Amino acid sequence: MSRIRTRVRSDVETPVATYGAAHRYENRLLLILFLAFGFVFFDRQALPFLAPYISKDFHLSNTELGTLSGVLALTWALSGLVAGRLSDKLGKRKPILIAAVVLFSCFSAAGGLMTGFLGLLVARALMGVAEGAVLPLAQSMMVEASRESRRGLNMGLLQGSSAGLMGGILAPLIVVWIAELHGWRTALLLTIVPGLLIAAWIAKSVREAPPGGRVQVAAADALPETTAGPKPSVREVLGHRNIILCMAAACCYLTWFIVIVTFTPTYLLTIKGFSPSTMSAVMTCLGVGWVLWGFLTPAVSDRIGRKPTMIAFSATAALCPLAMVYVSDPVVLGLVVVLTYTGLGCFTLFMATIPAETVPHGALATALGLVMGIGELAGGFLAPVIAGRASDVWGLQTAMFISAGGAVAVVLLSFGLRETAPRVLRRRAERATAAVGSGAVAAGAAE
C-alpha cells in the first residue's frame, strides 16, 4: 500500500499559532515602546536636573528656567495634536514614530552645543516638536495590540513606569553623575546614543498592525464607525464628556507634574540647603514612586474602575508638593515622596486609557493627541512660566503650592467622568440583569 503523505501549508496560520504570535508581539512591543517613551522622558528630565549646573554658565532666573520647560511643552502639545490626527488620516504610525525618535535624540544632544539661553531655548523647542508625536502614536499601537485583561497594565507600564524609571530614577543619577565628572554639556551630548538605538529596533521589529489584526477597544457608547467613509471629526470626538474632562484634567495634572519636576531640584538645593547628592537621591525617590504607581494605578483601575481610581490617587498626589515644603529631613521626605507621588499613574488613565475606551479606532490617535496637546499647552507651557514668575516674586515655595492646587482640581473634575473600565461595566450589567430577573420572579410570585 502506498503511503499517503499530507502537507500542511506553512503560509496558513492556525488560530492557536496566531494567538501565540499575538501574545509574543504584545510583550515585545511593550518592551520596545517602554524604552522609547522612557528615553523621551530621560531627555526631557535631563534639563531640570542639570539646571543648577547650566545656571552657573548662563545665569538663569526662575522665569527663564520655567520658560525652557514651557517652550518644550508648547511645541510638544502642537506636535501631538498634529501627529495624532495625521496618523489617523494616513493609517500609518510606524514611520512617524521612527522619525520622531531619531529627531528628539538629535535635538536633545544639540542642547549641549548651545552657548546661551536663546540657543538652548531653540533646541528645547525643536526637541518638543519631535517628542510630542511619540506618546499618541505609541499608546495607539499598544492599545491595538493589548488584550483587554492587560490593557490598563500595558498602558501604565508604557507611559507611567517607563517615564518614571528612565526620567525619574536613571536620569537624576546618570546626568548628575556625568555633570559632576565631565560637565553638563557632555551629559546632554550623550543622550543621542540610546535614542538612535531604539529607532533602529523599532524599524526592525515593530509592525504597523499586530498579528491577528488590531484589537477593538472602544466602549459600547462610543461614536459609531463604519469600515468605509470619513474618519470621525474632531468635533465629534469633542462631543464626548469624557474627552472634555480628560483634557481639563490634563491641563491641571500637567501643572502638578511639570512644576514639581522643573523647580524641585533648585528648591532642594537653594531653599532646603541639600547637597547635590542628597537632591539627586530625593529626586530618585520621585522616580521610584513614578515607576511603582505608574503600573499599580492603572492595574487597580482595571479592577475598581477608572473614576474612583482617579479621585483617590489624585487626592494623594496633592500631598507630594506640600511635603517638599513642610518635610525637612531628607530621609523622611524621600519616603513620603514615594508614597504620595501617585499622579503619574493617573496620567495613563486620562491621557490614554479612558479616551481609548471612549472613541472608536479611527479617532484613537486624534483623541490621545487632543488630550495630551491641550494639557501640554496649559499645564506644560503656561504653568511653569507662571510658576517661575510667581517664584521670583514670592519665593520658590509658591511653585509647590501651585502644583498641589493642580492635583486638587483633578479630584473635582474626576467626579464628572463616566466609567469605561470593561470589567466594571460588565459587573454593573450583570447586577442589573440579576435585579431585573429577581424582580420578575417576585412579580410572578405576587400574582
Side-chain angles (χ1 to χ4, degrees), residues 175-201:
V175 300
V176 171
W177 174 68
I178 295 175
E180 287 285 326
L181 293 178
H182 305 289
W184 65 268
R185 294 183 183 278
T186 302
L188 285 180
L189 288 170
L190 290 176
T191 58
I192 193 174
V193 177
L196 296 181
L197 295 176
I198 291 296
W201 196 6

Side-chain angles (χ1 to χ4, degrees), residues 42-297:
F42 185 98
D43 291 355
R44 181 170 183 167
Q45 294 301 102
L47 184 71
F49 298 131
L50 295 173
Y53 304 93
I54 298 174
S55 295
K56 292 179 182 178
D57 291 346
F58 295 168
H59 307 290
L60 300 178
S61 66
N62 290 321
T63 301
E64 289 173 326
L65 180 59
T67 301
L68 288 173
S69 178
V71 73
L72 184 146
L74 172 63
T75 55
W76 177 305
L78 297 175
S79 174
L81 290 169
V82 174
R85 190 60 179 166
L86 179 63
S87 71
D88 278 340
K89 285 199 169 199
L90 298 178
K92 300 287 185 182
R93 312 203 198 282
K94 180 178 175 179
I96 304 175
L97 181 61
I98 294 171
V101 173
V102 170
L103 289 175
F104 84 66
S105 303
C106 294
F107 292 136
S108 176
L113 302 175
M114 300 305 163
T115 58
F117 169 73
L118 289 179
L120 198 57
L121 189 69
V122 171
R124 296 288 289 180
L126 293 174
M127 192 171 114
V129 172
E131 289 186 337
V134 174
L135 182 59
L137 299 178
Q139 285 288 37
S140 297
M141 298 175 83
M142 191 71 254
V143 74
E144 290 168 352
S146 296
R147 287 161 283 171
E148 179 189 292
S149 60
R150 279 187 49 180
R151 187 184 304 153
L153 177 62
N154 286 350
M155 299 176 84
L157 287 168
L158 191 163
Q159 183 171 348
S161 295
S162 68
L165 177 62
M166 303 293 184
I169 295 179
L170 297 181
L173 294 175
I174 294 174
V175 300
V176 171
W177 174 68
I178 295 175
E180 287 285 326
L181 293 178
H182 305 289
W184 65 268
R185 294 183 183 278
T186 302
L188 285 180
L189 288 170
L190 290 176
T191 58
I192 193 174
V193 177
L196 296 181
L197 295 176
I198 291 296
W201 196 6
I202 293 173
K204 179 181 179 181
S205 301
V206 171
R207 303 182 181 188
E208 192 61 58
R214 295 183 171 100
V215 176
Q216 297 299 313
V217 299
D221 63 343
L223 292 167
E225 180 182 26
T226 59
T227 56
K231 300 289 185 181
S233 67
V234 172
R235 183 176 179 179
E236 290 175 311
V237 173
L238 293 176
H240 285 277
R241 185 174 75 187
N242 272 2
I243 299 299
I244 299 297
L245 288 173
C246 285
M247 289 166 59
C251 296
C252 299
Y253 241 140
L254 262 295
T255 297
W256 171 84
F257 169 65
I258 296 295
V259 171
I260 284 182
V261 298
T262 299
F263 295 102
T264 295
T266 302
Y267 182 82
L268 295 179
L269 288 174
T270 61
I271 305 301
K272 290 284 192 180
F274 290 178
S275 66
S277 60
T278 302
M279 177 274 288
S280 178
V282 172
M283 296 304 294
T284 300
C285 289
L286 282 176
V288 172
W290 195 343
V291 172
L292 178 66
W293 300 112
F295 73 88
L296 282 181
T297 304

